[in-house]
Amino acid sequence: MKSQLKKILEQTLRIFAQAILSKYSPEVVAVTGSVGKTSTKEAIYQVLSSTYAVGTNLKNYNNELGIPLSIIGSESGGRSILKWLGVFLKALRLLIFKSKKYPNILVLEMGADRPGDIRYLTNFIPVNIGVVTSVAAVHLEFYENLEGIAKEKGSLIRSLKKTSYAVLNYDDQLVRSMAGKTDAKVITYGFNPAADISALEVSVSHEVDYRDVSTIQGISFKLKYQGKTVPVLLPKVLGRHLVYSSLAAAAVGIIYDLNLHTIVEALKNFEPPKGRMHIISGIKNSLIIDDTYNSSPLACHKALEQLAAINLDEFHSKFAVLGDMLELGVQTESAHQEVGKKVAELGIDYLITVGEMSRDIIRGALAEGMDKDRCFNFKNSVEAGKFLQQRISQGDVVLVKGSQGMRMEKAVKELMANPEQAALLLVRQDASWLA
């Protein structure tokens, strides 16, 4: 009965969304990928909204229910019949009356947990620009291999018309190969100089006073396009992998005829969503890198690389606080062990893990030579946070990351200098999560 009601709701929302798209004809920029799609969506939104009227996903609405809600511009009704009636009435108002405030462009993140998810969305959403960020080992319990995931993500690109654009990550072989599976115009981005839009000389832009790690300021790099090179500063971003989001946003901006100066100025305001490499002040004047929104092997490796890239002297330590990575299927054990090996290879000082699966992270680190006295495992994130309260010192840097189900943001709250700001700074702080 419950699944039948959901199906009816899904179909009703689809009908409303399709009708609204038909009436207002907004151009649609769709973003998908295993890693980085939300940050990329936000970067594109930031660039385009500097010039155009732009709408985007509400909250984390990126599936068959959430995207129609975002097109309508209304939050979920949850379990309330009255709230759902309100959603339908808003949709009807948009259809009966012409709203002058409806966006000219919609930037929509499209998630895919199972085969067919992307095609379901593109069957009723006409996409003008399709962006694919990466293909990685995520949701492998529903796909046989990476090629299966690539096929699913690539269905966005295959849906494009000749007049559309495909914006592809050149550095990801599986994404780059999608260029041969579409009639759309293709623009590539990446660190590889062969990409149409590339990044050079990437660095963490900071002048660290070891007594105050809050002096870390962000990422800088040079953007190259058609022989022109311009400097870019992302003052609110910490994470080399987030440069990809900026490059994808630049590509979309160029498609919309924005000049490089406008794009660069807009990117200064780009701030990753909560729980994606957010810099938060910690107790004892420490620094927390909050990457707790979710986790996958690829994303975890990249976050660890960024932690390793921060220069600290011998008197200060780096902590990796890592929770279980879920939905990895048969690769669960090996993927966790590979993360542990990465921790050891990068010379991270301490490894704290949360959950049963993450014990394999420690096993991987020990196999790579990490001192067992610097590795600790806890049942939940609160216990890990309380343990760290006694371990960290002034000037230390703590990376916290894990799958959504591990609720690693609770560890961050235990370590925040100002925990009363949790509702403003952390993910999953609304009533539905805190109940």
Side-chain angles (χ1 to χ4, degrees):
M1 182 65 177
K2 187 176 180 180
S3 60
Q4 187 64 29
L5 287 173
K6 182 180 178 182
K7 202 69 180 176
I8 294 170
L9 180 61
E10 181 182 310
Q11 291 300 319
T12 304
L13 289 172
R14 172 176 172 157
I15 291 168
F16 276 129
Q18 195 167 9
I20 289 168
L21 290 173
S22 179
K23 175 169 181 165
Y24 290 92
S25 300
E27 296 198 353
V28 175
V29 181
V31 183
T32 194
S34 300
V35 177
K37 56 184 176 290
T38 303
S39 297
T40 300
K41 178 257 296 182
E42 289 295 327
I44 294 170
Y45 175 82
Q46 196 63 241
V47 167
L48 293 183
S49 61
S50 66
T51 306
Y52 300 97
V54 186
T56 188
N57 303 71
L58 300 174
K59 297 186 175 182
N60 61 342
Y61 293 177
N62 68 357
N63 60 15
E64 67 278 3
L65 292 177
I67 289 181
L69 283 168
S70 296
I71 292 169
I72 295 168
S74 182
E75 292 188 12
S76 168
R79 298 180 180 179
S80 170
I81 295 176
L82 287 176
K83 287 183 179 179
W84 280 115
L85 286 174
V87 172
F88 300 148
L89 285 173
K90 181 170 184 178
L92 284 170
R93 281 197 298 271
L94 284 172
L95 292 171
I96 296 170
F97 306 103
K98 184 75 172 181
S99 172
K100 295 181 180 179
K101 295 181 179 180
Y102 199 83
N104 303 125
I105 302 171
L106 290 175
V107 182
L108 300 176
E109 174 187 337
M110 292 186 173
D113 294 340
R114 293 173 174 79
D117 283 354
I118 297 294
R119 186 162 60 177
Y120 172 84
L121 295 168
T122 56
N123 277 344
F124 73 94
I125 300 173
V127 177
N128 301 89
I129 301 175
V131 183
V132 183
T133 63
S134 63
V135 172
V138 180
H139 303 302
L140 270 177
E141 77 272 37
F142 301 116
Y143 299 93
E144 292 184 6
N145 48 39
L146 282 177
E147 286 69 26
I149 296 174
K151 182 178 180 181
E152 177 64 26
K153 305 300 182 185
S155 63
L156 170 62
I157 303 306
R158 291 192 298 274
S159 75
L160 299 174
K161 299 178 181 178
K162 286 185 178 181
T163 54
S164 304
Y165 284 86
V167 178
L168 304 175
N169 181 351
Y170 188 92
D171 296 348
D172 188 311
Q173 175 60 45
L174 289 172
V175 176
R176 186 166 77 238
S177 67
M178 294 176 191
K181 300 174 182 177
T182 181
D183 293 326
K185 303 165 191 174
V186 176
I187 295 182
T188 59
Y189 66 93
F191 290 97
N192 192 314
D196 296 317
I197 300 170
S198 59
L200 312 170
E201 301 176 23
V202 181
S203 65
V204 179
S205 177
H206 68 286
E207 298 177 358
V208 170
D209 175 346
Y210 291 113
R211 294 166 299 175
D212 186 3
V213 290
S214 64
T215 55
I216 293 175
Q217 294 176 3
I219 293 286
S220 63
F221 65 96
K222 292 182 179 178
L223 186 152
K224 185 176 181 181
Y225 174 65
Q226 292 187 340
K228 296 180 181 179
T229 302
V230 293
V232 180
L233 173 63
L234 307 175
K236 300 177 182 179
V237 171
L238 183 63
R240 178 184 169 92
H241 58 282
L242 290 171
V243 173
Y244 281 112
S245 298
S246 301
L247 293 175
V252 174
I254 288 167
I255 292 170
Y256 277 98
D257 293 324
L258 299 182
N259 62 50
L260 292 182
H261 175 74
T262 300
I263 291 169
V264 167
E265 285 301 306
L267 285 173
K268 287 181 180 179
N269 297 316
F270 166 46
E271 185 172 357
K274 295 176 184 178
R276 277 96 161 181
M277 298 301 286
H278 255 199
I279 302 170
I280 297 177
S281 298
I283 59 174
K284 303 178 184 177
N285 200 28
S286 62
L287 182 78
I288 305 167
I289 303 173
D290 175 16
D291 203 29
T292 56
Y293 175 75
N294 212 342
S295 189
S296 68
L298 177 60
C300 197
H301 281 243
K302 288 182 176 181
L304 288 167
E305 287 169 359
Q306 189 55 64
L307 174 63
I310 297 173
N311 295 317
L312 297 181
D313 64 13
E314 59 184 308
F315 302 108
H316 299 85
S317 299
K318 299 174 187 178
F319 293 77
V321 187
L322 308 176
D324 290 351
M325 296 180 292
L326 308 177
E327 301 176 342
L328 297 180
V330 295
Q331 293 194 15
T332 297
E333 182 178 334
S334 61
H336 282 83
Q337 289 188 5
E338 286 300 316
V339 166
K341 290 178 182 178
K342 189 74 171 181
V343 171
E345 288 171 2
L346 293 173
I348 307 301
D349 298 297
Y350 292 94
L351 172 61
I352 290 85
T353 67
V354 177
E356 282 302 311
M357 297 176 191
S358 69
R359 290 182 184 275
D360 279 315
I361 298 178
I362 291 179
R363 292 186 182 101
L366 295 178
E368 201 64 25
M370 190 166 185
D371 187 343
K372 66 177 182 180
D373 292 332
R374 289 174 172 258
C375 301
F376 307 88
N377 176 265
F378 296 91
K379 291 181 180 179
N380 61 65
S381 57
V382 174
E383 288 182 7
K386 291 184 181 300
F387 169 80
L388 279 164
Q389 289 176 355
Q390 309 304 317
R391 284 276 175 165
I392 60 175
S393 302
Q394 179 174 320
D396 290 345
V397 179
V398 184
L399 167 69
V400 188
K401 188 169 184 61
S403 280
Q404 177 173 283
M406 300 309 295
R407 303 298 306 278
M408 297 301 291
E409 71 276 7
K410 293 183 179 181
V412 176
K413 188 173 182 179
E414 294 294 330
L415 299 172
M416 291 172 66
N418 300 293
E420 70 277 5
Q421 295 182 357
L424 296 174
L425 301 176
L426 304 185
V427 293
R428 295 180 283 271
Q429 297 299 301
D430 58 38
S432 63
W433 286 99
L434 297 176

